[in-house]
């Protein structure tokens, strides 16, 4: 391959790499703002999760106890949170699909110049690590005791 052809090809790949990085930055902003809701217990329990599926808000309607037992509240919150987290996972995967497809299409620089790193090695493969990041673990409460010592007013606190 001539030097001019190689230069043109490298320029094209670098432009595509810049586009990919710009798209990843935009996607990160969208994911940071993503909130998904789900309901359980005939709509009397509603939760909101973020892009990682972490619970950010829970709302229990005053009428919950009219038709449901208090002992089932935790199960209903969990049911709604799981549904919202599954929806979040699907939405993030849909958002990542174009980036991951484009990532697969990056040519190898070593096809142009020997012993040069590939752009595939320079660009994170979408944001898979964002989706698969470990979830925050809260300390376990002693058996039979529920408490929330984080001071977050958005989280319901139920004490026996």
């Amino acid at each position: 391959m001539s030097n001019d052809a190689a230069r043109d090809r490298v320029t094209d790949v670098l432009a595509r790499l810049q586009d990919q990085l710009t798209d990843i930055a935009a996607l990160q902003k969208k994911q940071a703002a993503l909130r998904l809701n789900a309901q359980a217990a005939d709509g009397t329990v509603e939760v909101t999760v973020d892009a990682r599926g972490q619970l950010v808000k829970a709302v229990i309607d005053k009428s919950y106890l009219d038709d449901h037992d208090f002992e089932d509240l935790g199960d209903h919150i969990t049911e709604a949170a799981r549904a919202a987290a599954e929806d979040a996972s699907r939405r993030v995967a849909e958002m990542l699909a174009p980036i991951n497809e484009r990532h697969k299409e990056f040519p190898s620089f070593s096809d142009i110049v020997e012993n040069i790193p590939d752009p595939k090695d320079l660009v994170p493969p979408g944001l898979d690590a964002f989706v698969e990041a470990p979830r925050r673990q809260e300390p376990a409460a002693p058996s039979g005791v529920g408490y929330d010592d984080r001071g977050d007013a958005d989280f319901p606190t139920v004490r026996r």
Side-chain angles (χ1 to χ4, degrees), residues 53-106:
Q54 294 178 337
L55 183 67
V56 295
K57 185 175 182 181
V59 177
I60 314 303
D61 191 274
K62 291 178 184 178
S63 67
Y64 175 83
L65 291 175
D66 294 345
D67 297 319
H68 304 282
D69 293 328
F70 177 77
E71 291 80 21
D72 297 328
L73 179 59
D75 291 337
H76 288 131
I77 292 171
T78 301
E79 173 188 341
R82 283 186 179 150
E86 287 173 9
D87 191 23
S89 179
R90 273 192 302 278
R91 293 278 298 274
V92 169
E94 290 170 4
M95 294 166 74
L96 287 172
I99 289 173
N100 287 332
E101 282 303 312
R102 203 172 328 141
H103 177 77
K104 293 176 189 174
E105 296 171 4
F106 271 101

Side-chain angles (χ1 to χ4, degrees), residues 116-129:
I116 191 168
D118 288 335
K120 290 180 185 179
D121 298 334
L122 303 174
V123 177
L127 298 174
D128 294 334

Side-chain angles (χ1 to χ4, degrees), residues 30-37 47-52 54 56-57 84 87-88 91:
K30 286 180 183 178
Q31 284 183 326
L34 185 66
R35 298 291 183 264
L36 295 149
N37 299 318
V47 301
T48 303
V49 300
D50 63 15
R52 292 184 177 177
Q54 294 178 337
V56 295
K57 185 175 182 181
D87 191 23
R91 293 278 298 274

